[in-house]
Amino acid sequence: MSSKSTSRFQIAVVGGGIVGKACALLLAQQGMQVALIAPRPVGDTARTGEDDWDSRIYAFSASSQALLERLRVWEALDPDRIQPVRDMRVFGDESAAQTNPTAHGDLHFSAYAAAVPQLAWIIESSHVERVLDTALRFQHQVQWFDDTAETLERDMDGVTLTLGNGQRVRANCLVGADGARSWVRQQCHIGTTQRRYRQLGVVANFRCELPHQDTAWQWFLGAPEKLMADEEAANGEILAMLPLPGQRVSMVWSADEAHARDLLALTPEALAATVGELANGAVGRHFGTLRCITPAQGFPLVLQRAEQFVQPHVALVGDAAHVVHPLAGQGMNLGLRDVVELGRVMADKEAFRHEGDLRLLRRYERARATDLLSLTAATDGLHRLFSLPGTPARMVRNLGMRAVGGQGLLKRFLISRALG
């Protein structure tokens, strides 16, 4: 094929993560001709070892599970790599709640009480991506370009991408699913509003001595002591311990940047010991001795939103459109709900409209506004609340958590929102 040849599609998706692959697969299953533009994974073999677990894990909600089932991906996942979450316990930063070994937490969310089989499923990112890759290989409506886009041109009728090898891809609509630093968003000169949390998310997996009982745990730890005197720098740290199959757990520690760098420099043994001592030893009491089984990794935490989700012939999904704090574990689910809504808008498209019609794409943008606004307000608001210094602020927020914990209807409402 010559470098000047042009391939034509209804949709071009830029981005090879879970959201981008799911988007390409869904639109193809709806009968569209789709180009997926992303380098293919190299050397990513299946993880089957006793302690061979990806430290990048996601909590998939019921709505995300329904999408993967619709894509015929869910049934292809290895059940031995899927962990249901049946309970979630959340602790405030009040020392009494953390030091009492019989305390079950200021907030308890139960699948049984909510009359659902589980609250979420914990799955490794790499495992989901491998199954999506296999599904895409058998989807003849998708052509996967193992390359990156280098230039983007738009006109009245669509978008033309020029790839690194000189090949050109023409599409009625371009979907940017290429992450928080989206090339598509930059090329379209779409700005962002952003708030840096001055934290890193430190992730690692551990084997634990005691069973996790299908429970996700979260502790608001307050700010590190060395920052407490500086109200501007003080940022409440948050620890989440998520269950994995077997006696394994995955840690997501939202830590101050300097503290996070110290954590990343620890040996696996020292990191495990440090985590076990957190929340005045509560982590160790719940899990027993921890053994680190994956190298710790860190990623910056930001709150970010694109000023526009759509332009003529362009739509943004996933982290290209929005990034939220991981304390609720909903970032991936938000992105997959973007995919579902974009698919619905395309399926309901009038025959006289093409896929890049701005009036059509604005239906997608409007439909996603409420979900994103409510989740952003909840996650950012909680983070701000638990970063406020001082005893009065700590008393108010912990009393508030216990008040919510005593309201069964409110908790069921919160669970229904988390399920998507």
Side-chain angles (χ1 to χ4, degrees):
M1 185 175 287
S2 72
S3 62
K4 299 297 183 181
S5 64
T6 301
S7 302
R8 298 181 180 274
F9 301 87
Q10 290 168 277
I11 305 286
V13 178
V14 173
I18 291 175
V19 170
K21 291 171 181 175
C23 186
L25 195 55
L26 177 64
L27 296 177
Q29 288 183 359
Q30 293 181 183
M32 297 184 182
Q33 293 289 333
V34 179
L36 176 61
I37 301 164
R40 290 184 183 273
V42 177
D44 187 16
T45 58
R47 298 172 182 269
T48 57
E50 173 71 10
D51 289 332
D52 191 8
W53 291 78
D54 189 349
S55 57
R56 298 171 304 139
I57 62 98
Y58 294 108
F60 287 82
S61 68
S63 62
S64 296
Q65 185 270 344
L67 173 61
L68 295 180
E69 197 167 59
R70 178 179 172 186
L71 298 177
R72 296 187 287 277
V73 166
W74 185 261
E75 60 266 31
L77 294 171
D78 182 352
D80 291 335
R81 313 292 286 200
I82 301 175
Q83 172 62 51
V85 178
R86 307 194 194 280
D87 286 271
M88 182 173 184
R89 299 189 181 274
V90 182
F91 294 81
D93 59 350
E94 192 173 48
S95 59
Q98 295 174 357
T99 56
N100 180 2
T102 64
H104 291 298
D106 292 323
L107 275 176
H108 175 210
F109 297 101
S110 164
Y112 177 79
V116 294
Q118 59 280 308
L119 301 176
W121 293 263
I122 306 295
I123 318 175
E124 300 155 277
S125 174
S126 60
H127 183 48
V128 178
E129 288 196 51
R130 279 193 298 273
V131 178
L132 283 167
D133 292 348
T134 300
L136 285 164
R137 282 199 294 271
F138 289 96
Q139 176 49 257
H140 301 302
Q141 295 283 108
V142 176
Q143 184 172 342
W144 190 336
F145 292 85
D146 181 15
D147 209 334
T148 57
E150 293 196 346
T151 65
L152 184 160
E153 303 169 57
R154 275 190 292 177
D155 54 40
M156 294 293 291
D157 298 318
V159 176
T160 301
L161 299 171
T162 303
L163 308 186
N165 64 3
Q167 189 171 357
R168 291 161 64 86
V169 173
R170 176 78 175 171
N172 295 339
C173 181
L174 170 63
V175 177
D178 50 342
R181 299 180 180 179
S182 170
W183 176 86
V184 171
R185 190 184 65 229
Q186 293 171 22
Q187 293 299 304
C188 295
H189 306 290
I190 298 175
T192 62
T193 56
Q194 185 182 93
R195 178 190 171 206
R196 290 183 60 248
Y197 287 111
R198 302 189 305 278
Q199 291 184 325
L200 298 182
V202 179
V203 297
N205 295 338
F206 299 87
R207 175 166 282 282
C208 49
E209 179 185 10
L210 303 176
H212 51 58
Q213 300 175 339
D214 300 342
T215 301
W217 302 80
Q218 185 165 279
W219 287 268
F220 288 91
L221 301 174
E225 288 187 13
K226 64 181 179 180
L227 297 180
M228 291 301 291
D230 184 354
E231 293 190 9
E232 188 65 29
N235 238 336
E237 298 195 344
I238 305 164
L239 176 74
M241 299 294 280
L242 307 176
L244 289 174
Q247 290 190 197
R248 304 178 186 88
V249 289
S250 182
M251 176 192 78
V252 184
W253 187 344
S254 303
D256 169 75
E257 288 175 339
H259 186 202
R261 286 190 286 271
D262 292 340
L263 295 174
L264 293 169
L266 294 176
T267 65
E269 295 76 16
L271 179 62
T274 299
V275 174
E277 294 168 359
L278 288 172
N280 293 320
V283 176
R285 288 195 298 272
H286 289 302
F287 297 110
T289 302
L290 296 173
R291 178 168 63 84
C292 192
I293 60 175
T294 64
Q297 299 179 36
F299 55 92
L301 301 184
V302 297
L303 175 69
Q304 178 174 287
R305 177 168 179 164
E307 293 174 355
Q308 300 169 287
F309 286 9
V310 300
Q311 285 186 351
H313 310 291
V314 176
L316 302 178
V317 297
D319 285 358
H322 45 71
V323 181
V324 297
H325 195 283
L327 69 87
Q330 291 295 311
M332 174 61 66
N333 296 313
L334 268 180
L336 292 177
R337 291 204 288 273
D338 292 346
V339 169
V340 171
E341 188 58 38
L342 184 61
R344 186 195 65 77
V345 166
M346 292 296 175
D348 293 345
K349 177 180 69 67
E350 299 92 340
F352 63 86
R353 294 193 193 279
H354 62 70
E355 293 78 11
D357 189 312
L358 181 58
R359 283 164 292 186
L360 178 73
L361 297 177
R362 278 182 173 157
R363 296 173 191 171
Y364 156 72
E365 184 177 52
R366 287 194 299 269
R368 295 301 298 133
T370 301
D371 185 23
L372 179 63
L373 180 63
S374 62
L375 188 61
T376 299
T379 56
D380 188 54
L382 276 172
H383 183 269
R384 288 176 184 268
L385 180 62
F386 277 89
S387 293
L388 291 174
T391 300
R394 185 170 64 248
M395 290 176 62
V396 168
R397 60 188 172 235
N398 284 285
L399 283 171
M401 283 187 66
R402 284 196 292 276
V404 172
Q407 299 294 320
L409 286 175
L410 179 56
K411 287 203 295 182
R412 283 194 289 275
F413 170 76
L414 294 173
I415 289 172
S416 70
R417 292 306 306 269
L419 292 173

